[in-house]
Amino acid sequence: RALHYEGYYWLFYYRSPSVGGCVGDQCTVQLSRSKAPLSASSWERVGTYPWHRNGCCIMKPRGERSYCIWGEGPGPLPGLGIAYTTDLSSGVFTQTRWSLGNSLDNASS
């Protein structure tokens, strides 16, 4: 998924094997940014995340929470996740608890 935000083109995409500080076997989503997206050498890696499939984000100004939803279904790993960041450039996301109803949240097994 791509978006234009704060003068950069941002791209969430599948990458395996993972690079950077992501730990685990599901670190398959990378975020990169570029000011000149048609130049392959211009892309900078921002982070790699333990998400399955790409993030789709609703962006707010820096300092406010911008939310990204990620996941897929029905397989191979059915499910969705929601994370937020207050600074996309930092590459730091916090996973958010969310619920589909009584006893149906993203922390249930």
Side-chain angles (χ1 to χ4, degrees), residues 35-108:
K35 288 191 173 189
L38 298 181
S39 172
S41 64
S42 71
W43 287 93
E44 309 167 22
R45 185 180 58 82
V46 176
T48 304
Y49 306 99
W51 303 349
H52 192 69
R53 298 296 179 221
N54 303 325
C56 295
C57 302
I58 300 171
M59 300 307 299
K60 297 282 189 175
R62 186 184 299 233
E64 295 182 37
R65 288 184 179 183
S66 294
Y67 287 88
C68 298
I69 188 168
W70 43 270
E72 72 172 327
L77 299 172
L80 296 173
I82 298 175
Y84 70 86
T85 184
T86 57
D87 180 6
L88 191 60
S89 294
S90 73
V92 175
F93 286 84
T94 302
Q95 188 167 339
T96 303
R97 289 184 58 92
W98 56 281
S99 178
L100 297 173
N102 202 6
S103 75
L104 296 171
D105 62 48
N106 68 329
S108 298

Side-chain angles (χ1 to χ4, degrees), residues 4-10 33 35 60-63 87-89:
H4 189 262
Y5 177 73
E6 293 185 333
Y8 285 92
Y9 293 89
W10 301 82
R33 70 180 187 176
K35 288 191 173 189
K60 297 282 189 175
R62 186 184 299 233
D87 180 6
L88 191 60
S89 294

